[in-house]
Amino acid sequence: MGRRQDGYHLLETVFQLIDFCDYLHFTCRNDHLIKRVTSSEQIPEEDDLAIRAAKLLQKEIFRQKGIPVRGVDIEIEKNIPLGGGLGGGSSDAATTLMALNHLWNGGFETKDLISMGVQLGADVPFFLVGQNAFGTGIGDKLTPVNTPDGWFVVIKPPVAVPTALIFRSNELTRNTEPIKMANFPDFCKKINHFGRNDLQVVAMKLFPEIRKAVNELSQFGNARMTGSGACVFCRFASETEARKVATRLSSRWNTQVVKGLQNHPLKYLLDNMGE
């Protein structure tokens, strides 16, 4: 929709939760250190969003409440591909904020965690809200929406896309006409035929593998790139239909069949633990 003076882009986007995730394990320490106990050649520990989230929360608990908290060891089982546009790092950061706020008795409300999350990344607030949403601003102004139930075939092309590379492109459309929330009933009926991803054209030019994935999956429905790429998805009404398509493509592509979710399982669990 445009670009702010600080370089962030103004967006209109729909966030959809799916049952495909990383798993994080938290073990409190006897000192105040925050450590990642799983190694990663792709992401240095100090740049890992889960580690940054833990350090930010620890600092805020001490700053606002004057309470020193113990450190934590964080083990990450990484399933979400890096550079895939699926929000894996943002989800890990949100999970860390939610889980450690509980384990450390931080007492912060969701709105407080969202204020911290946006410091880590524009997509983090969505995972803290915990349900599908229409995002505006830089993606941090969220209105909950109900999306149709369904199953998705997700293709991961053999490339990792740096988000900044796509948003820096001079060919990126930055003047898309806004849509209205009043149109959302129609959106829900026509989810496979509504809107587009302005980032997709740029990504397909830079990464031919994404274009190939879109073209192949488009044989079966309205295939689109997710986020800034590289993953490509198509929605289906049933698991059976989705698995048939994934099977046909599996010899050539890394495919995943995932179910759409309405609510973030961890957010729901933590919100109801006191009941």
Side-chain angles (χ1 to χ4, degrees), residues 180-213:
K180 298 178 181 178
M181 280 297 295
N183 294 339
F184 253 80
D186 288 336
F187 161 75
C188 289
K189 295 174 186 175
K190 301 183 286 188
I191 191 166
N192 263 2
H193 305 282
F194 182 94
R196 67 178 188 271
N197 184 344
D198 285 333
L199 309 180
Q200 181 174 314
V201 173
V202 176
M204 288 195 305
K205 286 184 178 180
L206 294 173
F207 300 93
E209 296 89 345
I210 297 176
R211 179 183 297 278
K212 292 176 185 176

Side-chain angles (χ1 to χ4, degrees), residues 19-230:
D19 65 343
F20 182 40
C21 60
D22 300 333
Y23 291 92
L24 284 77
H25 306 267
F26 303 93
T27 304
C28 289
R29 297 171 58 98
N30 292 323
D31 54 26
H32 299 291
L33 297 177
I34 292 171
K35 303 292 291 182
R36 187 181 67 186
V37 296
T38 44
S39 61
S40 171
E41 296 179 356
Q42 297 170 298
I43 304 177
E45 181 174 338
E46 63 272 17
D47 294 335
D48 193 305
L49 281 175
I51 297 298
R52 291 175 56 198
K55 290 181 177 180
L56 177 60
L57 180 63
Q58 186 186 53
K59 182 178 75 174
E60 287 300 308
I61 291 175
F62 183 75
R63 185 179 72 84
Q64 296 191 34
K65 304 176 186 295
I67 303 171
V69 296
R70 289 187 295 166
V72 66
D73 287 334
I74 303 177
E75 178 187 352
I76 304 174
E77 295 180 40
K78 194 69 185 166
N79 298 306
I80 303 296
L82 296 173
L86 293 175
S90 296
S91 177
D92 291 351
T95 293
T96 299
L97 291 173
M98 286 189 284
L100 292 182
N101 184 50
H102 174 75
L103 292 173
W104 285 342
N105 296 312
F108 290 112
E109 298 180 3
T110 297
K111 63 180 179 61
D112 303 315
L113 298 179
I114 287 174
S115 295
M116 298 178 211
V118 76
Q119 300 176 50
L120 301 165
D123 293 345
V124 177
F126 162 64
F127 292 100
L128 291 164
V129 166
Q131 62 188 105
N132 296 328
F134 179 74
T136 58
I138 60 173
D140 60 328
K141 294 179 174 60
L142 300 161
T143 303
V145 294
N146 292 319
T147 58
D149 291 333
W151 291 79
F152 297 86
V153 173
V154 180
I155 291 178
K156 172 58 175 75
V159 293
V161 177
T163 299
L165 179 66
I166 304 301
F167 277 106
R168 281 199 305 262
S169 172
N170 292 329
E171 297 185 43
L172 178 62
T173 298
R174 295 183 172 91
N175 59 351
T176 298
E177 288 295 318
I179 61 174
K180 298 178 181 178
M181 280 297 295
N183 294 339
F184 253 80
D186 288 336
F187 161 75
C188 289
K189 295 174 186 175
K190 301 183 286 188
I191 191 166
N192 263 2
H193 305 282
F194 182 94
R196 67 178 188 271
N197 184 344
D198 285 333
L199 309 180
Q200 181 174 314
V201 173
V202 176
M204 288 195 305
K205 286 184 178 180
L206 294 173
F207 300 93
E209 296 89 345
I210 297 176
R211 179 183 297 278
K212 292 176 185 176
V214 170
N215 290 342
E216 283 223 43
L217 196 51
S218 291
Q219 300 174 70
F220 309 100
N222 184 27
R224 279 185 276 177
M225 189 179 77
T226 176
S228 57

Side-chain angles (χ1 to χ4, degrees), residues 152-155 216-217 219-220 234 236 238-258:
F152 297 86
V153 173
V154 180
I155 291 178
E216 283 223 43
L217 196 51
Q219 300 174 70
F220 309 100
C234 187
F236 298 90
S238 70
E239 180 181 8
T240 299
E241 188 180 5
R243 292 201 180 279
K244 284 182 180 178
V245 171
T247 298
R248 290 183 61 177
L249 297 174
S250 60
S251 63
R252 300 183 298 281
W253 296 100
N254 179 352
T255 62
Q256 190 84 20
V257 175
V258 299

